[in-house]
Every structure is written in structure tokens, then in C-alpha cells.
Amino acid sequence: MPPTLLVSTRKGLFTYRDAGGRLSIAESAFLGDPVTISLHDQRDGATYAALRLGHFGCKLHRQERDGTWREVASPAYPEKPADAVVVRDPMRGEEVPWKVDQIWALAVDYGQDGALWCGTIPGGLFHSTDRGETWTLNTPLWNLPARAKWFGGGYDWPGIHSILTHPSQPDRVTVGVSCGGAWRSHDRGQTWVNASRGMRAAFMPEGQEFDPEIQDPHLVAQCATRPDMLWAQHHNGIFRSSNDGDDWREITTAVPSSFGFATAVHPHDPETAWFVPAIKDERRIPVDGRFVVTRTRDGGASFEVLGEGLPDAEAFHLVYRHALAVSPADADPARVQLAIGSTTGSLWHSADQGDHWSHVSAHLPPIYAVMWA
Amino acid sequence: MPLVRFTPSLQRHVSAPDVRVEGATVRDALFQIFTTTPALRSYLVDEQGALRKHVTVFVDGLPVRDRAALTDALRPDSDVDVMQALSGG
């Protein structure tokens, strides 16, 4: 099967396939509608697309192998109990609503066929055992007392953007929260422990920078064949963990910047990871107008700056946290693919781990997420 | 019975023809419709039962006052228009 790339954009979902060595659009769906994230489940061949309709709310659609799309249930909070603890965003003092504003993460739950995880803004984790037909809020995480410390980062409410699962460890799940750190469960979500020790938040007052429950990991990613090896592109830089999030170590060697949103980890080599740097943190444009990718092959000891095929001047592309993707674990190790999508509607592809990039399109809507299927 | 009409922009997502339903309040009328067209519910109200932020309802030409509980009263001959709430950019 040739590589297939799902590109979720502000104006639809575009499915790219390799056509004679070049990616081209094989299918367009939901044209005009914001697609915040998509997921391909290799187990049953289903593809999921999360919509955020401007007037009519979040929707979830599922595509079967035969190509047909159908709307399934969108994750939704239960009716708020009258005696529910009121949780306020501590930065703004406003009550965090029991209403899904955006579907921000989708992941396979390997513990059961057809089971899925979904992370939302506000920061709820939802679970489905029936391919999205029904969803249940994970109350152990939602009811964590520490959730009262979470606050929005980039969006008004704190949200779950990263969900890490792995077929060899079906009971383990790790989520990343902006801003609330990383949290890990070893029992498929029944209990949670914080997994952010070592992350640093310079945006907090002195003495609170290392509070693990308020960290802003923009994205947490794992090596597909070594799921204990994690990388995070954090608001304050790059961090890595070699022990499934027990401890994190800040990596300060990246140039031209360690600020950014996205990261991807080589599926077979946990020492290799890619990032897309930008000027921190309010400006969020490429350093010196030169759009580059950075790559480490030695666990962060050093970084290469990769720009072959990327614009080297007067470029203002920004890459969101889900818009840098690497091939999945079952890809040919000799043909690991990368893709980048920008908020400016450009899509780039590299078939040689970032040494060279080809500009697939400059004419897409703003890109929210890319994923190799 | 009140007549409920839906914005044309909704129709590409869920078929929602004009319909007459019993109901003393906006909530009565809409939730009566949701029993026959369940797919419509999540498009118009959020999971707490309030009107979605960017949906509005006019009763006899006036926007409803109670967007959270939809208690605005209907007359037997009321016209209820479910519309997009234009706001923001």
C-alpha cells in the first residue's frame, strides 16, 4: 500500500496518496468545514474525522474501508451534576464548562478492538468501545483535584492534545495537557499519576516553574517501537524522557530555536526526533524568515538544521502541534516519510528523513493536523 | 400548534423540514422534535441542554431570552425560527 497522508484543515479533510513518487489528493471530504483532527485505525481500516462546525458544534464522522462516511457520536460531557465541584481556570477565574468545544486528540485503544480514546477542549478524556458510536467521559481524570490547576494555553480552556498508546502495552495511556502537564495511567484510565517531573515553565512565578501539574507540553510524542522513549515540544523548549515520563530532561542544544509546537519521533530510533522551530513565544514566526526543520539523531546532544527544499527567506509559516507527522511503526525503515503542514496552507513532504523536502501544495486551507495512514 | 422552521444552512448536515409540534415553551417544542429526529439535537443544543453559542431561536420575530433553559413561552400559533447566530468573524 503506498503511503497515505491525512491532512486536516480549516476547510476540509484531504487524503493524499503517492502517485508515481509524488503525493496528490486522492479524496476531499467535508469541504468548507473545519476538521480539527483525524485518525486512521489500521486494525479495521476506519478513518475518523473530527469537525468543529462554526454554528453547530463538534461532530465526529467515520469512514469505512469502502470509502463511505457516516456521522457517529461526538464525545459529550454528561449532564453536570448539581453538586459538581466548580473548577475555574486559575488564570482567568472563569468556570470550566462541561461542554466540548473542540476535539483535539484521537488515539487507538489497543486493549479492545474498536476502542478509541479522544481528548478535548476543555480537558476531558473520552473513551469509546464501539468505534465512536458512543463515548464515556473518563471520570478519574476529570475528577482529579489537580485539574483545578490546569489553565488554557493557546485556547481559552485547558485541553488534551496528546494521547499515547501502544499495542505492546494496552493498559498504558499517557495524555498531554496544555496547560496541565503529562498524566499517565497503567490501568487503561482507572487511575492517573502525573508524569511531568523535570519539565520547566518559565511563564510561572519564581518557585513554581517546576510544578508538574501546570506544565505546557505543546505535544508529547513517543517512539513507535520504544514506547517508553518520549519527546515533548514544550512551551519552554524541548524535553525528553527515557523512562515513560518518570523524569524529563530539558534539551537546550537546538538551534535556531527550541520553541515550537510539533515534534515527531523516528519510529525505529528513539534518539532521532524532528522539530519545527519558531521565535518564542508571542511572535511565532520562523527565525530570520527562514523556515526550517531541526533534527537530532543523538538524543538531543546535537541538532541539524534542515532546509533543503524549504523557503529560506521571507517565510512566515507556522506549524501547529499535530502538523508534523512521521511514518508509523510498520513502515519500511528505509522509507520513513515525513510531512509538515502549515497554518499558511503549505504542505511539504520528505522521503529521506528531512534531508530534502518537496513542496506538495501552497494552496491548502490552514492545516491543523497531518497523519500518515 | 406552533410552527418550527430551521435555517437552510442546517439542511446539509441534518434534514430538518418545517414542522408543527405541541409545546408551551421553546424547550418543549425543540425536545419534542429531538425525539423524532435525534440527530438534530447536538446541532442545536450543547450537552447541557443550552442553545449552542452560535445558534439562536426567534419566537414570533423576537430572539429568545433564556438561551440556557429555553423557557420562553409559545402561543398555539407561534412561529419559531431556528437560525444561525451571526457573531464574530
PDB file of all heavy atoms in Angstrom, chain A residues 5 7-9 16 291 309-311 315-320 323 339-349 358-370:
ATOM      1  N   LEU A   5      -1.597  10.029   3.329  1.00  0.00           N
ATOM      2  CA  LEU A   5      -1.469  11.113   4.297  1.00  0.00           C
ATOM      3  C   LEU A   5      -2.821  11.792   4.482  1.00  0.00           C
ATOM      4  O   LEU A   5      -3.430  12.236   3.504  1.00  0.00           O
ATOM      5  CB  LEU A   5      -0.434  12.137   3.808  1.00  0.00           C
ATOM      6  CG  LEU A   5      -0.106  13.274   4.769  1.00  0.00           C
ATOM      7  CD1 LEU A   5       0.692  12.758   5.964  1.00  0.00           C
ATOM      8  CD2 LEU A   5       0.678  14.372   4.044  1.00  0.00           C
ATOM      9  N   VAL A   7      -4.729  14.970   5.800  1.00  0.00           N
ATOM     10  CA  VAL A   7      -4.438  16.377   6.066  1.00  0.00           C
ATOM     11  C   VAL A   7      -5.731  17.048   6.528  1.00  0.00           C
ATOM     12  O   VAL A   7      -6.661  17.253   5.739  1.00  0.00           O
ATOM     13  CB  VAL A   7      -3.872  17.078   4.816  1.00  0.00           C
ATOM     14  CG1 VAL A   7      -3.537  18.529   5.130  1.00  0.00           C
ATOM     15  CG2 VAL A   7      -2.624  16.346   4.315  1.00  0.00           C
ATOM     16  N   SER A   8      -5.773  17.366   7.817  1.00  0.00           N
ATOM     17  CA  SER A   8      -6.955  18.006   8.410  1.00  0.00           C
ATOM     18  C   SER A   8      -6.766  19.516   8.346  1.00  0.00           C
ATOM     19  O   SER A   8      -5.755  20.035   8.835  1.00  0.00           O
ATOM     20  CB  SER A   8      -7.121  17.575   9.869  1.00  0.00           C
ATOM     21  OG  SER A   8      -7.185  16.178   9.984  1.00  0.00           O
ATOM     22  N   THR A   9      -7.735  20.194   7.791  1.00  0.00           N
ATOM     23  CA  THR A   9      -7.594  21.636   7.590  1.00  0.00           C
ATOM     24  C   THR A   9      -8.838  22.391   8.044  1.00  0.00           C
ATOM     25  O   THR A   9      -9.872  21.803   8.345  1.00  0.00           O
ATOM     26  CB  THR A   9      -7.346  22.003   6.114  1.00  0.00           C
ATOM     27  OG1 THR A   9      -8.606  22.001   5.416  1.00  0.00           O
ATOM     28  CG2 THR A   9      -6.398  21.031   5.443  1.00  0.00           C
ATOM     29  N   TYR A  16      -4.118  12.414   0.818  1.00  0.00           N
ATOM     30  CA  TYR A  16      -3.081  12.360  -0.220  1.00  0.00           C
ATOM     31  C   TYR A  16      -2.571  10.934  -0.359  1.00  0.00           C
ATOM     32  O   TYR A  16      -2.410  10.220   0.631  1.00  0.00           O
ATOM     33  CB  TYR A  16      -1.895  13.271   0.150  1.00  0.00           C
ATOM     34  CG  TYR A  16      -2.117  14.728  -0.160  1.00  0.00           C
ATOM     35  CD1 TYR A  16      -2.849  15.539   0.704  1.00  0.00           C
ATOM     36  CD2 TYR A  16      -1.578  15.300  -1.307  1.00  0.00           C
ATOM     37  CE1 TYR A  16      -3.036  16.890   0.417  1.00  0.00           C
ATOM     38  CE2 TYR A  16      -1.748  16.649  -1.591  1.00  0.00           C
ATOM     39  CZ  TYR A  16      -2.483  17.435  -0.732  1.00  0.00           C
ATOM     40  OH  TYR A  16      -2.666  18.766  -1.011  1.00  0.00           O
ATOM     41  N   PHE A 291      12.409  29.213   7.033  1.00  0.00           N
ATOM     42  CA  PHE A 291      11.590  28.104   7.530  1.00  0.00           C
ATOM     43  C   PHE A 291      12.413  26.815   7.480  1.00  0.00           C
ATOM     44  O   PHE A 291      12.849  26.397   6.401  1.00  0.00           O
ATOM     45  CB  PHE A 291      10.340  27.971   6.655  1.00  0.00           C
ATOM     46  CG  PHE A 291       9.385  26.903   7.106  1.00  0.00           C
ATOM     47  CD1 PHE A 291       8.739  26.995   8.327  1.00  0.00           C
ATOM     48  CD2 PHE A 291       9.108  25.811   6.299  1.00  0.00           C
ATOM     49  CE1 PHE A 291       7.847  26.019   8.742  1.00  0.00           C
ATOM     50  CE2 PHE A 291       8.213  24.835   6.692  1.00  0.00           C
ATOM     51  CZ  PHE A 291       7.584  24.944   7.919  1.00  0.00           C
ATOM     52  N   GLY A 309      14.896  22.554   0.248  1.00  0.00           N
ATOM     53  CA  GLY A 309      13.535  22.469  -0.290  1.00  0.00           C
ATOM     54  C   GLY A 309      12.529  23.303   0.479  1.00  0.00           C
ATOM     55  O   GLY A 309      11.372  23.398   0.070  1.00  0.00           O
ATOM     56  N   LEU A 310      12.972  23.907   1.581  1.00  0.00           N
ATOM     57  CA  LEU A 310      12.093  24.784   2.360  1.00  0.00           C
ATOM     58  C   LEU A 310      12.480  26.236   2.089  1.00  0.00           C
ATOM     59  O   LEU A 310      13.656  26.519   1.796  1.00  0.00           O
ATOM     60  CB  LEU A 310      12.219  24.466   3.851  1.00  0.00           C
ATOM     61  CG  LEU A 310      11.874  23.028   4.250  1.00  0.00           C
ATOM     62  CD1 LEU A 310      12.165  22.811   5.740  1.00  0.00           C
ATOM     63  CD2 LEU A 310      10.412  22.713   3.950  1.00  0.00           C
ATOM     64  N   PRO A 311      11.547  27.179   2.197  1.00  0.00           N
ATOM     65  CA  PRO A 311      11.875  28.582   1.878  1.00  0.00           C
ATOM     66  C   PRO A 311      12.882  29.155   2.867  1.00  0.00           C
ATOM     67  O   PRO A 311      12.749  28.975   4.073  1.00  0.00           O
ATOM     68  CB  PRO A 311      10.521  29.293   1.977  1.00  0.00           C
ATOM     69  CG  PRO A 311       9.676  28.405   2.819  1.00  0.00           C
ATOM     70  CD  PRO A 311      10.138  27.009   2.562  1.00  0.00           C
ATOM     71  N   ALA A 315       9.785  33.965   4.888  1.00  0.00           N
ATOM     72  CA  ALA A 315       8.781  32.908   5.072  1.00  0.00           C
ATOM     73  C   ALA A 315       8.156  33.045   6.460  1.00  0.00           C
ATOM     74  O   ALA A 315       8.867  33.269   7.438  1.00  0.00           O
ATOM     75  CB  ALA A 315       9.437  31.539   4.917  1.00  0.00           C
ATOM     76  N   PHE A 316       6.851  32.907   6.526  1.00  0.00           N
ATOM     77  CA  PHE A 316       6.154  33.146   7.787  1.00  0.00           C
ATOM     78  C   PHE A 316       5.234  31.983   8.136  1.00  0.00           C
ATOM     79  O   PHE A 316       4.163  32.152   8.683  1.00  0.00           O
ATOM     80  CB  PHE A 316       5.380  34.476   7.712  1.00  0.00           C
ATOM     81  CG  PHE A 316       6.304  35.621   7.411  1.00  0.00           C
ATOM     82  CD1 PHE A 316       6.452  36.089   6.111  1.00  0.00           C
ATOM     83  CD2 PHE A 316       7.080  36.173   8.416  1.00  0.00           C
ATOM     84  CE1 PHE A 316       7.333  37.113   5.839  1.00  0.00           C
ATOM     85  CE2 PHE A 316       7.967  37.198   8.137  1.00  0.00           C
ATOM     86  CZ  PHE A 316       8.102  37.673   6.849  1.00  0.00           C
ATOM     87  N   HIS A 317       5.693  30.800   7.829  1.00  0.00           N
ATOM     88  CA  HIS A 317       4.902  29.611   8.091  1.00  0.00           C
ATOM     89  C   HIS A 317       5.019  29.200   9.559  1.00  0.00           C
ATOM     90  O   HIS A 317       6.104  29.223  10.132  1.00  0.00           O
ATOM     91  CB  HIS A 317       5.381  28.451   7.214  1.00  0.00           C
ATOM     92  CG  HIS A 317       5.456  28.810   5.772  1.00  0.00           C
ATOM     93  ND1 HIS A 317       4.336  29.058   5.009  1.00  0.00           N
ATOM     94  CD2 HIS A 317       6.511  28.977   4.940  1.00  0.00           C
ATOM     95  CE1 HIS A 317       4.706  29.352   3.772  1.00  0.00           C
ATOM     96  NE2 HIS A 317       6.015  29.318   3.704  1.00  0.00           N
ATOM     97  N   LEU A 318       3.894  28.788  10.119  1.00  0.00           N
ATOM     98  CA  LEU A 318       3.866  28.226  11.463  1.00  0.00           C
ATOM     99  C   LEU A 318       3.242  26.835  11.366  1.00  0.00           C
ATOM    100  O   LEU A 318       2.274  26.640  10.626  1.00  0.00           O
ATOM    101  CB  LEU A 318       3.049  29.104  12.416  1.00  0.00           C
ATOM    102  CG  LEU A 318       2.943  28.581  13.855  1.00  0.00           C
ATOM    103  CD1 LEU A 318       4.305  28.647  14.544  1.00  0.00           C
ATOM    104  CD2 LEU A 318       1.916  29.365  14.657  1.00  0.00           C
ATOM    105  N   VAL A 319       3.815  25.905  12.114  1.00  0.00           N
ATOM    106  CA  VAL A 319       3.329  24.525  12.092  1.00  0.00           C
ATOM    107  C   VAL A 319       2.709  24.202  13.442  1.00  0.00           C
ATOM    108  O   VAL A 319       3.383  24.278  14.482  1.00  0.00           O
ATOM    109  CB  VAL A 319       4.481  23.553  11.760  1.00  0.00           C
ATOM    110  CG1 VAL A 319       4.027  22.108  11.892  1.00  0.00           C
ATOM    111  CG2 VAL A 319       4.995  23.832  10.350  1.00  0.00           C
ATOM    112  N   TYR A 320       1.436  23.873  13.426  1.00  0.00           N
ATOM    113  CA  TYR A 320       0.741  23.524  14.660  1.00  0.00           C
ATOM    114  C   TYR A 320       1.220  22.183  15.199  1.00  0.00           C
ATOM    115  O   TYR A 320       1.881  21.408  14.511  1.00  0.00           O
ATOM    116  CB  TYR A 320      -0.771  23.480  14.416  1.00  0.00           C
ATOM    117  CG  TYR A 320      -1.468  24.825  14.485  1.00  0.00           C
ATOM    118  CD1 TYR A 320      -2.775  24.948  14.056  1.00  0.00           C
ATOM    119  CD2 TYR A 320      -0.843  25.947  14.995  1.00  0.00           C
ATOM    120  CE1 TYR A 320      -3.451  26.157  14.118  1.00  0.00           C
ATOM    121  CE2 TYR A 320      -1.499  27.161  15.068  1.00  0.00           C
ATOM    122  CZ  TYR A 320      -2.807  27.268  14.629  1.00  0.00           C
ATOM    123  OH  TYR A 320      -3.457  28.465  14.703  1.00  0.00           O
ATOM    124  N   ALA A 323       0.798  18.937  13.205  1.00  0.00           N
ATOM    125  CA  ALA A 323       1.005  19.067  11.762  1.00  0.00           C
ATOM    126  C   ALA A 323       2.418  18.711  11.310  1.00  0.00           C
ATOM    127  O   ALA A 323       2.875  19.155  10.264  1.00  0.00           O
ATOM    128  CB  ALA A 323       0.633  20.483  11.309  1.00  0.00           C
ATOM    129  N   ALA A 339       5.984  14.551   6.903  1.00  0.00           N
ATOM    130  CA  ALA A 339       5.128  15.563   6.277  1.00  0.00           C
ATOM    131  C   ALA A 339       4.952  16.714   7.254  1.00  0.00           C
ATOM    132  O   ALA A 339       4.916  16.507   8.477  1.00  0.00           O
ATOM    133  CB  ALA A 339       3.775  14.987   5.903  1.00  0.00           C
ATOM    134  N   ILE A 340       4.872  17.920   6.709  1.00  0.00           N
ATOM    135  CA  ILE A 340       4.623  19.132   7.504  1.00  0.00           C
ATOM    136  C   ILE A 340       3.494  19.908   6.850  1.00  0.00           C
ATOM    137  O   ILE A 340       3.494  20.112   5.635  1.00  0.00           O
ATOM    138  CB  ILE A 340       5.838  20.093   7.513  1.00  0.00           C
ATOM    139  CG1 ILE A 340       7.126  19.386   7.833  1.00  0.00           C
ATOM    140  CG2 ILE A 340       5.609  21.226   8.496  1.00  0.00           C
ATOM    141  CD1 ILE A 340       8.327  20.314   7.635  1.00  0.00           C
ATOM    142  N   GLY A 341       2.566  20.384   7.662  1.00  0.00           N
ATOM    143  CA  GLY A 341       1.517  21.266   7.172  1.00  0.00           C
ATOM    144  C   GLY A 341       1.551  22.570   7.951  1.00  0.00           C
ATOM    145  O   GLY A 341       1.781  22.570   9.166  1.00  0.00           O
ATOM    146  N   SER A 342       1.335  23.673   7.282  1.00  0.00           N
ATOM    147  CA  SER A 342       1.455  24.982   7.946  1.00  0.00           C
ATOM    148  C   SER A 342       0.109  25.679   8.064  1.00  0.00           C
ATOM    149  O   SER A 342      -0.850  25.369   7.344  1.00  0.00           O
ATOM    150  CB  SER A 342       2.425  25.875   7.167  1.00  0.00           C
ATOM    151  OG  SER A 342       1.841  26.278   5.955  1.00  0.00           O
ATOM    152  N   THR A 343       0.083  26.654   8.963  1.00  0.00           N
ATOM    153  CA  THR A 343      -1.131  27.459   9.106  1.00  0.00           C
ATOM    154  C   THR A 343      -1.353  28.328   7.875  1.00  0.00           C
ATOM    155  O   THR A 343      -2.426  28.896   7.697  1.00  0.00           O
ATOM    156  CB  THR A 343      -1.037  28.376  10.329  1.00  0.00           C
ATOM    157  OG1 THR A 343       0.113  29.212  10.181  1.00  0.00           O
ATOM    158  CG2 THR A 343      -0.910  27.580  11.606  1.00  0.00           C
ATOM    159  N   THR A 344      -0.340  28.440   7.044  1.00  0.00           N
ATOM    160  CA  THR A 344      -0.445  29.216   5.810  1.00  0.00           C
ATOM    161  C   THR A 344      -0.856  28.338   4.620  1.00  0.00           C
ATOM    162  O   THR A 344      -0.843  28.805   3.477  1.00  0.00           O
ATOM    163  CB  THR A 344       0.909  29.875   5.514  1.00  0.00           C
ATOM    164  OG1 THR A 344       1.943  28.901   5.754  1.00  0.00           O
ATOM    165  CG2 THR A 344       1.142  31.071   6.403  1.00  0.00           C
ATOM    166  N   GLY A 345      -1.205  27.094   4.894  1.00  0.00           N
ATOM    167  CA  GLY A 345      -1.755  26.245   3.840  1.00  0.00           C
ATOM    168  C   GLY A 345      -0.734  25.597   2.932  1.00  0.00           C
ATOM    169  O   GLY A 345      -1.062  25.183   1.823  1.00  0.00           O
ATOM    170  N   SER A 346       0.493  25.485   3.408  1.00  0.00           N
ATOM    171  CA  SER A 346       1.501  24.781   2.636  1.00  0.00           C
ATOM    172  C   SER A 346       1.722  23.391   3.214  1.00  0.00           C
ATOM    173  O   SER A 346       1.641  23.175   4.429  1.00  0.00           O
ATOM    174  CB  SER A 346       2.834  25.539   2.641  1.00  0.00           C
ATOM    175  OG  SER A 346       2.937  26.404   1.525  1.00  0.00           O
ATOM    176  N   LEU A 347       2.023  22.461   2.302  1.00  0.00           N
ATOM    177  CA  LEU A 347       2.286  21.078   2.703  1.00  0.00           C
ATOM    178  C   LEU A 347       3.614  20.647   2.092  1.00  0.00           C
ATOM    179  O   LEU A 347       3.828  20.820   0.886  1.00  0.00           O
ATOM    180  CB  LEU A 347       1.152  20.171   2.205  1.00  0.00           C
ATOM    181  CG  LEU A 347       1.270  18.679   2.536  1.00  0.00           C
ATOM    182  CD1 LEU A 347       1.113  18.436   4.033  1.00  0.00           C
ATOM    183  CD2 LEU A 347       0.191  17.889   1.770  1.00  0.00           C
ATOM    184  N   TRP A 348       4.505  20.119   2.951  1.00  0.00           N
ATOM    185  CA  TRP A 348       5.797  19.623   2.470  1.00  0.00           C
ATOM    186  C   TRP A 348       5.941  18.147   2.813  1.00  0.00           C
ATOM    187  O   TRP A 348       5.388  17.662   3.803  1.00  0.00           O
ATOM    188  CB  TRP A 348       6.952  20.392   3.128  1.00  0.00           C
ATOM    189  CG  TRP A 348       7.130  21.791   2.654  1.00  0.00           C
ATOM    190  CD1 TRP A 348       7.844  22.225   1.582  1.00  0.00           C
ATOM    191  CD2 TRP A 348       6.589  22.979   3.246  1.00  0.00           C
ATOM    192  NE1 TRP A 348       7.784  23.593   1.464  1.00  0.00           N
ATOM    193  CE2 TRP A 348       7.025  24.082   2.476  1.00  0.00           C
ATOM    194  CE3 TRP A 348       5.783  23.210   4.363  1.00  0.00           C
ATOM    195  CZ2 TRP A 348       6.676  25.392   2.784  1.00  0.00           C
ATOM    196  CZ3 TRP A 348       5.432  24.499   4.677  1.00  0.00           C
ATOM    197  CH2 TRP A 348       5.871  25.587   3.896  1.00  0.00           C
ATOM    198  N   HIS A 349       6.745  17.476   2.005  1.00  0.00           N
ATOM    199  CA  HIS A 349       6.944  16.034   2.163  1.00  0.00           C
ATOM    200  C   HIS A 349       8.433  15.739   2.053  1.00  0.00           C
ATOM    201  O   HIS A 349       9.132  16.327   1.221  1.00  0.00           O
ATOM    202  CB  HIS A 349       6.163  15.299   1.058  1.00  0.00           C
ATOM    203  CG  HIS A 349       6.462  13.846   0.969  1.00  0.00           C
ATOM    204  ND1 HIS A 349       6.720  13.202  -0.221  1.00  0.00           N
ATOM    205  CD2 HIS A 349       6.551  12.889   1.929  1.00  0.00           C
ATOM    206  CE1 HIS A 349       6.941  11.917   0.007  1.00  0.00           C
ATOM    207  NE2 HIS A 349       6.847  11.695   1.295  1.00  0.00           N
ATOM    208  N   SER A 358       9.998  18.333  -0.492  1.00  0.00           N
ATOM    209  CA  SER A 358       9.288  18.783  -1.690  1.00  0.00           C
ATOM    210  C   SER A 358       8.022  19.507  -1.260  1.00  0.00           C
ATOM    211  O   SER A 358       7.359  19.121  -0.281  1.00  0.00           O
ATOM    212  CB  SER A 358       8.945  17.599  -2.599  1.00  0.00           C
ATOM    213  OG  SER A 358       8.163  16.655  -1.900  1.00  0.00           O
ATOM    214  N   HIS A 359       7.705  20.563  -1.976  1.00  0.00           N
ATOM    215  CA  HIS A 359       6.551  21.399  -1.660  1.00  0.00           C
ATOM    216  C   HIS A 359       5.332  20.804  -2.361  1.00  0.00           C
ATOM    217  O   HIS A 359       5.174  20.971  -3.567  1.00  0.00           O
ATOM    218  CB  HIS A 359       6.822  22.826  -2.130  1.00  0.00           C
ATOM    219  CG  HIS A 359       5.978  23.848  -1.456  1.00  0.00           C
ATOM    220  ND1 HIS A 359       6.117  25.194  -1.671  1.00  0.00           N
ATOM    221  CD2 HIS A 359       4.980  23.734  -0.547  1.00  0.00           C
ATOM    222  CE1 HIS A 359       5.248  25.862  -0.934  1.00  0.00           C
ATOM    223  NE2 HIS A 359       4.541  24.999  -0.254  1.00  0.00           N
ATOM    224  N   VAL A 360       4.521  20.104  -1.635  1.00  0.00           N
ATOM    225  CA  VAL A 360       3.388  19.382  -2.227  1.00  0.00           C
ATOM    226  C   VAL A 360       2.297  20.361  -2.654  1.00  0.00           C
ATOM    227  O   VAL A 360       1.708  20.229  -3.720  1.00  0.00           O
ATOM    228  CB  VAL A 360       2.828  18.353  -1.231  1.00  0.00           C
ATOM    229  CG1 VAL A 360       1.620  17.637  -1.814  1.00  0.00           C
ATOM    230  CG2 VAL A 360       3.917  17.349  -0.842  1.00  0.00           C
ATOM    231  N   SER A 361       2.011  21.346  -1.796  1.00  0.00           N
ATOM    232  CA  SER A 361       0.979  22.338  -2.134  1.00  0.00           C
ATOM    233  C   SER A 361       1.236  23.625  -1.363  1.00  0.00           C
ATOM    234  O   SER A 361       1.700  23.600  -0.226  1.00  0.00           O
ATOM    235  CB  SER A 361      -0.419  21.827  -1.798  1.00  0.00           C
ATOM    236  OG  SER A 361      -1.378  22.837  -2.068  1.00  0.00           O
ATOM    237  N   ALA A 362       0.927  24.735  -2.005  1.00  0.00           N
ATOM    238  CA  ALA A 362       0.964  26.038  -1.324  1.00  0.00           C
ATOM    239  C   ALA A 362      -0.437  26.626  -1.231  1.00  0.00           C
ATOM    240  O   ALA A 362      -0.590  27.792  -0.894  1.00  0.00           O
ATOM    241  CB  ALA A 362       1.868  27.000  -2.096  1.00  0.00           C
ATOM    242  N   HIS A 363      -1.437  25.807  -1.531  1.00  0.00           N
ATOM    243  CA  HIS A 363      -2.774  26.359  -1.754  1.00  0.00           C
ATOM    244  C   HIS A 363      -3.845  25.709  -0.903  1.00  0.00           C
ATOM    245  O   HIS A 363      -5.026  25.806  -1.220  1.00  0.00           O
ATOM    246  CB  HIS A 363      -3.135  26.224  -3.233  1.00  0.00           C
ATOM    247  CG  HIS A 363      -2.055  26.729  -4.139  1.00  0.00           C
ATOM    248  ND1 HIS A 363      -1.672  28.045  -4.155  1.00  0.00           N
ATOM    249  CD2 HIS A 363      -1.249  26.093  -5.010  1.00  0.00           C
ATOM    250  CE1 HIS A 363      -0.693  28.204  -5.037  1.00  0.00           C
ATOM    251  NE2 HIS A 363      -0.412  27.034  -5.560  1.00  0.00           N
ATOM    252  N   LEU A 364      -3.438  25.050   0.161  1.00  0.00           N
ATOM    253  CA  LEU A 364      -4.438  24.420   1.026  1.00  0.00           C
ATOM    254  C   LEU A 364      -4.987  25.431   2.028  1.00  0.00           C
ATOM    255  O   LEU A 364      -4.385  26.485   2.252  1.00  0.00           O
ATOM    256  CB  LEU A 364      -3.804  23.238   1.760  1.00  0.00           C
ATOM    257  CG  LEU A 364      -3.475  22.029   0.880  1.00  0.00           C
ATOM    258  CD1 LEU A 364      -2.646  21.021   1.651  1.00  0.00           C
ATOM    259  CD2 LEU A 364      -4.758  21.379   0.364  1.00  0.00           C
ATOM    260  N   PRO A 365      -6.108  25.109   2.661  1.00  0.00           N
ATOM    261  CA  PRO A 365      -6.551  25.926   3.797  1.00  0.00           C
ATOM    262  C   PRO A 365      -5.547  25.770   4.948  1.00  0.00           C
ATOM    263  O   PRO A 365      -4.676  24.896   4.905  1.00  0.00           O
ATOM    264  CB  PRO A 365      -7.911  25.296   4.154  1.00  0.00           C
ATOM    265  CG  PRO A 365      -8.303  24.471   2.971  1.00  0.00           C
ATOM    266  CD  PRO A 365      -7.026  23.998   2.358  1.00  0.00           C
ATOM    267  N   PRO A 366      -5.677  26.601   5.977  1.00  0.00           N
ATOM    268  CA  PRO A 366      -4.805  26.433   7.141  1.00  0.00           C
ATOM    269  C   PRO A 366      -4.851  24.985   7.654  1.00  0.00           C
ATOM    270  O   PRO A 366      -5.929  24.410   7.817  1.00  0.00           O
ATOM    271  CB  PRO A 366      -5.399  27.408   8.165  1.00  0.00           C
ATOM    272  CG  PRO A 366      -6.031  28.477   7.329  1.00  0.00           C
ATOM    273  CD  PRO A 366      -6.574  27.761   6.119  1.00  0.00           C
ATOM    274  N   ILE A 367      -3.665  24.417   7.874  1.00  0.00           N
ATOM    275  CA  ILE A 367      -3.571  22.998   8.213  1.00  0.00           C
ATOM    276  C   ILE A 367      -3.486  22.825   9.728  1.00  0.00           C
ATOM    277  O   ILE A 367      -2.635  23.423  10.385  1.00  0.00           O
ATOM    278  CB  ILE A 367      -2.353  22.362   7.514  1.00  0.00           C
ATOM    279  CG1 ILE A 367      -2.568  22.400   5.991  1.00  0.00           C
ATOM    280  CG2 ILE A 367      -2.143  20.930   7.999  1.00  0.00           C
ATOM    281  CD1 ILE A 367      -1.358  21.984   5.178  1.00  0.00           C
ATOM    282  N   TYR A 368      -4.388  21.994  10.254  1.00  0.00           N
ATOM    283  CA  TYR A 368      -4.415  21.718  11.688  1.00  0.00           C
ATOM    284  C   TYR A 368      -3.629  20.465  12.043  1.00  0.00           C
ATOM    285  O   TYR A 368      -3.048  20.377  13.122  1.00  0.00           O
ATOM    286  CB  TYR A 368      -5.857  21.531  12.164  1.00  0.00           C
ATOM    287  CG  TYR A 368      -6.728  22.758  12.074  1.00  0.00           C
ATOM    288  CD1 TYR A 368      -8.085  22.650  11.779  1.00  0.00           C
ATOM    289  CD2 TYR A 368      -6.214  24.029  12.317  1.00  0.00           C
ATOM    290  CE1 TYR A 368      -8.898  23.769  11.720  1.00  0.00           C
ATOM    291  CE2 TYR A 368      -7.020  25.157  12.252  1.00  0.00           C
ATOM    292  CZ  TYR A 368      -8.369  25.024  11.956  1.00  0.00           C
ATOM    293  OH  TYR A 368      -9.174  26.127  11.904  1.00  0.00           O
ATOM    294  N   ALA A 369      -3.650  19.459  11.165  1.00  0.00           N
ATOM    295  CA  ALA A 369      -3.050  18.171  11.539  1.00  0.00           C
ATOM    296  C   ALA A 369      -2.722  17.369  10.292  1.00  0.00           C
ATOM    297  O   ALA A 369      -3.426  17.459   9.281  1.00  0.00           O
ATOM    298  CB  ALA A 369      -4.006  17.376  12.428  1.00  0.00           C
ATOM    299  N   VAL A 370      -1.645  16.598  10.376  1.00  0.00           N
ATOM    300  CA  VAL A 370      -1.323  15.629   9.328  1.00  0.00           C
ATOM    301  C   VAL A 370      -1.032  14.297  10.000  1.00  0.00           C
ATOM    302  O   VAL A 370      -0.548  14.242  11.128  1.00  0.00           O
ATOM    303  CB  VAL A 370      -0.125  16.068   8.457  1.00  0.00           C
ATOM    304  CG1 VAL A 370      -0.445  17.346   7.707  1.00  0.00           C
ATOM    305  CG2 VAL A 370       1.124  16.268   9.298  1.00  0.00           C
TER     306      VAL A 370
END
